[in-house]
Amino acid sequence: INFNKEITDDFKLGLGVNITTIKNNTISVNNDAGFIPSGTFGLGQNTSRFQEGLPIGTFYGLKTDGIFQNQAQIDALAVDRDGDGTLDEYQIGAKPGDIKYVDIDNNGYIEFGSENDITDIGNPIPEITIGFNLNLDYKGFDFSSSIYASVGNDIARSYERFLTYSNKPTLYLDRWTGEGTSNTVPRA
């Protein structure tokens, strides 16, 4: 929708707005796996996929379940995977303050680097996209501005780099530093 108005001989105004929705679903992928991995986003691993039954570019990965608060939580999840009478780690190398992942295939442990415990973790396709345009003209001088928004989509947070000399978001100030301090940001 656009609106244009000549307010005076010297001043003109233009406004525009648009709203769009989209629904999508992958009907078929022509390979044996049933999906095509993609989207490394600088993370060194595929974080999205084109898969039958899901939206295009669905984020795929390990699902999180908070932060391990203490060693007792880690030990309580140990199981005897191989029947040798010894409890094996649920999440290899986990320490208090680490991210806790969900065992999607319910076999009693997290399988890093395997398809068994990764799942759909987000949809990059927005429910609505909105655009707004403003145009002003005064005595031959013009000004234009555009604003865009996407609403209802998920984002792969790959903008953080773990470089020694880079700035970090303030969310790290609320990281886990001991039992009960955070259930969303892991230890440093």
Side-chain angles (χ1 to χ4, degrees), residues 66-130:
I67 304 294
F68 284 117
Q69 295 298 312
N70 53 50
Q71 189 62 44
Q73 285 182 340
I74 297 167
D75 294 343
L77 293 171
V79 295
D80 182 5
R81 292 195 293 262
D82 49 16
D84 67 357
T86 304
L87 293 179
D88 299 300
E89 292 177 296
Y90 169 80
Q91 187 172 309
I92 294 173
K95 293 181 175 38
D98 285 349
I99 296 171
K100 177 182 172 188
Y101 295 104
V102 176
D103 178 20
I104 298 297
D105 66 356
N106 292 313
N107 67 352
Y109 62 102
I110 302 300
E111 298 164 90
F112 294 106
S114 162
E115 290 287 319
N116 296 340
D117 282 325
I118 62 173
T119 189
D120 169 9
I121 55 173
N123 182 356
I125 307 297
E127 294 172 14
I128 299 172
T129 57
I130 303 166

Side-chain angles (χ1 to χ4, degrees), residues 1-2 16-22 126-133 147-151:
I1 299 172
N2 289 311
V17 66
N18 62 61
I19 299 174
T20 305
T21 63
I22 184 173
E127 294 172 14
I128 299 172
T129 57
I130 303 166
F132 177 75
N133 303 308
I147 299 172
Y148 166 83
S150 64
V151 178

Side-chain angles (χ1 to χ4, degrees), residues 14-91:
L15 299 170
V17 66
N18 62 61
I19 299 174
T20 305
T21 63
I22 184 173
K23 301 282 183 204
N24 78 67
N25 185 36
T26 304
I27 296 169
S28 174
V29 176
N30 191 17
N31 67 21
D32 291 338
F35 68 89
I36 299 170
S38 64
T40 60
F41 302 108
L43 298 173
Q45 61 186 349
N46 291 315
T47 56
S48 67
R49 57 173 52 182
F50 185 80
Q51 180 173 327
E52 292 178 23
L54 296 173
I56 294 170
T58 292
F59 296 124
Y60 230 74
L62 292 167
K63 185 175 181 179
T64 61
D65 188 24
I67 304 294
F68 284 117
Q69 295 298 312
N70 53 50
Q71 189 62 44
Q73 285 182 340
I74 297 167
D75 294 343
L77 293 171
V79 295
D80 182 5
R81 292 195 293 262
D82 49 16
D84 67 357
T86 304
L87 293 179
D88 299 300
E89 292 177 296
Y90 169 80
Q91 187 172 309

